[in-house]
Amino acid sequence: MSGVALALEVVVVFFLALFLLHRYGDFRKQHRMVLFATLLAWFLCFLIVFILPLDVSTVRPPACVETRVKGVVPLLSYSQSLVPKICQKPWSYIPDGILPVFWRVVYWTSQFLTWLLIPFMQSYARSGGFSISGKIKTALIENAIYYGTYLLIFCSLLIYVAVTPKLHLSWSGLRTIGITAANTWGLFLLVLLLGYGLVEIPRTYWRASCHGQLLAKTYFKAAKLMTEKADAEENLEDVMEDVRTVNETIKYNHPLRKCIDTILKKCPVEYQEKMGRNMDDYEDFDDKGNPYPSKKSLVKLHKQVIYAVQRHNRTQVQWQILLDKAFHLEDVAKNESSSTHKFVHSFPSAEPPGWISKYLYTPTVEWYWECVFRRWCYRVLAVVLCVFSAAVVWSECTFFSTQPVLSLFAVFIQLAERDYNYVYIEMACFVTIFFLCYCVYSTVFRIRVFNYYYLAPHHQTDAYSLQFSGMLFCRLTPPLCLNFLGVIHMDSTISHQTRQPTAYTSIMGSMQVLSFIANGFYIYYPMLIVLLCIATYFSLGTRCLNLLGFQQFVGENDLTSDLVDEGRELIRRGTTDTGPSFKLSSVLYRSDKAELLQDVEPLDFTGEEPLETDNRRSVSLYL
């Protein structure tokens, strides 16, 4: 079984990353380099999380014979009897020498992606130029400032080490300084995201069990999305008018005509047809002496077209999906009082039911699941997640204490060590780090920073946001893993215990090169999670955004109530407008939505940058 667990997890993680990329990206229309870089970044980060429990179990002693030697303390608490005891290898034991090489390849590849390749590709993607050389030039200029900032931070740490008499510079020391600087940056953001996720994730599942509140929030989202949808349509019309003007100004024999053709390819088909009919192939470009736009203005227009089209298509698809959700929640509310205990849809599908709907998921089963069992499953899950969150908060605040051991996760691992229960060690480690990653990664997927960064499902995420998420994952995962090892007392730098280190911590080097970070920042900064959890519980961030004019769903609030009523009316009108078509054939509705999903033009590798003049953006955390 040696190495089988490692190979199996590599395959599982690859398909998990591929599934998520298919959900958020578009394999047909986005550039292959964008998809490859994002897939590689997600794959490497998920791989670190899945393989680390195997690394923890591998440091347990392999097959060995215990010999009680006076004055020698064994690594683990072996049996107190003097009879030799055979220690079996764990089923997932990985031979010596494999994990150190594996971690070096995975870690340094992810760091190359997050600090060098992906930032360059982001600048290249949003440059909006018409030639490869122009995009590269723009990317180099932008990243020169970007890399200079990191070089300044690294030089500051280097000067600190140089002026400290007790420290001696070496290649391994310089490498450790670089790793420490990267992990420190990641830990800043990690604590913020983790503090939010530890509270918001259990609360989200609890609220999902309350159909009334969930439906009200859906109405609220409908009102906001309709505003964004109307704004996107208006913006698209304005941009298409600018395109029409330059299209009529620059004729086919003008040197910049190739740029216009590139812009036209990004326009919706109906606009392309209208502009094509208004062109005169035989009109000379300089007969009228009209002023011509510069290439720089065409580059800006190109970026505006891509952004306007992508935003318009995204809001159209999101509106159809939100209608589906609202109709379903309204059906649940209507069927809760049903005496027949059979779920009835307001817009039943015209397609014949499959064998699953016919024999397994019958209307009776659907009623019991949607109206009875589902809410209780969500509530039980919310309670379990609350317990996990409380354990994480307690452990983050007490993991520095080794005598006595106060971290709950460290206690669980040490109890398993006494019996050499490797399966329990791996499962406990996996559940713990999986929950930490779920809190952090789900927040990355939920958060929205204006229209600048937004991970939208159903193939609606632009290239810049995909790459930005990959860059965030690569920066958050290493400090997250080190924090996890500290919580279970497997990092000797934090626990100050003499024990065999994991292969992962061995490639990180000794953090004692920068003792003020190892003994101070890494230990006490995670305690800030308590304050962040309190702020999230009372929705302080949401209330502040609401006061600043960014509408948020805040319980009992006049503005929230008005938007809920507005959204309810919009859904009602949507039901009235689309009702007959649903009653005649819901296939038409489904095919329209599928067509929108296929016709969406996401931001491609030629790039796009959100318009800086758009002042109607919103900052929100979507639950």
Side-chain angles (χ1 to χ4, degrees), residues 424-453:
Y424 177 82
I425 292 174
E426 292 173 5
M427 292 303 299
C429 290
F430 177 77
V431 171
T432 304
I433 195 172
F434 179 80
F435 179 70
L436 293 175
C437 291
Y438 182 62
C439 292
V440 175
Y441 292 165
S442 63
T443 305
V444 174
F445 278 97
R446 293 164 183 255
I447 197 171
R448 175 175 179 176
V449 183
F450 300 111
N451 288 316
Y452 183 74
Y453 170 75

Side-chain angles (χ1 to χ4, degrees), residues 224-234 311-312 315-316 319:
K224 289 186 62 177
L225 184 58
M226 177 55 72
T227 302
E228 184 179 357
K229 180 170 171 285
D231 187 29
E233 293 173 353
E234 180 183 352
R311 186 186 176 198
H312 173 265
T315 54
Q316 293 289 333
W319 176 252

Side-chain angles (χ1 to χ4, degrees), residues 95-123:
D96 296 338
I98 293 181
L99 277 179
V101 176
F102 176 83
W103 286 130
R104 286 190 182 94
V105 173
V106 171
Y107 177 77
W108 291 112
T109 303
S110 65
Q111 295 306 297
F112 172 76
L113 286 173
T114 187
W115 299 107
L116 295 175
L117 182 60
I118 294 182
F120 178 84
M121 292 177 62
Q122 284 181 305
S123 300

Side-chain angles (χ1 to χ4, degrees), residues 328 331-332 335 341-345 363-364 366-367 370-371:
H328 175 72
D331 287 343
V332 171
N335 282 273
H341 293 180
K342 291 185 178 180
F343 199 90
V344 179
H345 293 272
T364 301
E366 185 178 4
W367 185 89
E370 294 290 348
C371 301

Side-chain angles (χ1 to χ4, degrees), residues 127-176:
S127 63
F130 296 99
S131 64
I132 296 178
S133 59
K135 297 174 186 177
I136 293 177
K137 181 180 178 181
T138 302
L140 289 175
I141 293 175
E142 290 185 3
N143 282 273
I145 303 173
Y146 180 78
Y147 299 141
T149 303
Y150 296 132
L151 183 62
L152 179 62
I153 298 175
F154 180 79
C155 290
S156 300
L157 295 175
L158 192 63
I159 293 173
Y160 168 79
V161 175
V163 299
T164 304
K166 297 181 180 180
L167 300 177
H168 302 282
L169 289 177
S170 62
W171 168 248
S172 60
L174 291 176
R175 183 188 62 185
T176 303

Side-chain angles (χ1 to χ4, degrees), residues 242-495:
D242 294 338
V243 174
R244 184 191 64 79
T245 301
V246 297
N247 182 55
E248 294 178 354
T249 302
I250 299 179
K251 302 303 180 180
Y252 288 112
N253 51 356
H254 194 281
L256 294 178
R257 185 62 206 183
K258 292 183 179 180
C259 300
I260 300 298
D261 293 337
T262 302
I263 294 175
L264 289 176
K265 291 179 182 178
K266 306 298 173 62
C267 298
V269 177
E270 59 271 20
Y271 288 98
Q272 293 184 34
E273 295 175 351
K274 292 178 181 179
M275 297 177 191
R277 289 194 298 265
N278 294 332
M279 287 297 298
D280 186 354
D281 295 348
Y282 302 100
E283 185 177 358
D284 194 3
F285 72 88
D286 56 359
D287 281 350
K288 298 181 180 180
N290 294 328
Y292 300 106
S294 62
K295 189 172 183 179
K296 184 177 180 180
S297 63
L298 292 180
V299 169
K300 182 179 179 181
L301 180 61
H302 184 207
K303 295 163 62 176
Q304 293 175 344
V305 168
I306 298 175
Y307 170 69
V309 173
Q310 195 274 337
R311 186 186 176 198
H312 173 265
N313 290 330
R314 186 188 69 206
T315 54
Q316 293 289 333
V317 173
Q318 288 178 327
W319 176 252
Q320 297 292 347
I321 295 171
L322 191 62
L323 281 179
D324 266 348
K325 182 178 180 180
F327 294 158
H328 175 72
L329 291 175
E330 290 179 342
D331 287 343
V332 171
K334 294 176 183 177
N335 282 273
E336 283 182 341
S337 57
S338 173
S339 59
T340 60
H341 293 180
K342 291 185 178 180
F343 199 90
V344 179
H345 293 272
S346 299
F347 306 108
S349 175
E351 298 179 352
W355 68 272
I356 295 180
S357 301
K358 191 174 182 180
Y359 298 104
L360 297 179
Y361 198 61
T362 61
T364 301
V365 174
E366 185 178 4
W367 185 89
Y368 277 102
W369 168 248
E370 294 290 348
C371 301
V372 180
F373 296 128
R374 186 169 187 168
R375 65 174 60 186
W376 286 107
C377 289
Y378 276 152
R379 289 177 181 178
V380 171
L381 181 58
V383 172
V384 173
L385 293 176
C386 282
V387 173
F388 267 98
S389 296
V392 169
V393 173
W394 171 262
S395 300
E396 290 286 356
C397 295
T398 60
F399 72 87
F400 61 89
S401 175
T402 56
Q403 293 296 333
V405 178
L406 297 179
S407 173
L408 297 178
F409 299 108
V411 171
F412 298 152
I413 298 299
Q414 291 181 7
L415 288 175
E417 288 176 354
R418 298 176 183 177
D419 299 327
Y420 301 98
N421 194 336
Y422 298 110
V423 175
Y424 177 82
I425 292 174
E426 292 173 5
M427 292 303 299
C429 290
F430 177 77
V431 171
T432 304
I433 195 172
F434 179 80
F435 179 70
L436 293 175
C437 291
Y438 182 62
C439 292
V440 175
Y441 292 165
S442 63
T443 305
V444 174
F445 278 97
R446 293 164 183 255
I447 197 171
R448 175 175 179 176
V449 183
F450 300 111
N451 288 316
Y452 183 74
Y453 170 75
Y454 180 28
L455 288 175
H458 304 285
H459 320 292
Q460 298 303 300
T461 305
D462 57 80
Y464 184 86
S465 296
L466 283 176
Q467 295 175 96
F468 191 78
S469 67
M471 185 171 65
L472 278 180
F473 283 173
C474 290
R475 296 184 186 183
L476 289 170
T477 303
L480 174 64
C481 293
L482 286 178
N483 179 259
F484 161 73
L485 293 174
V487 166
I488 64 173
H489 289 183
M490 288 295 296
D491 188 351
S492 58
T493 303
I494 296 176
S495 63

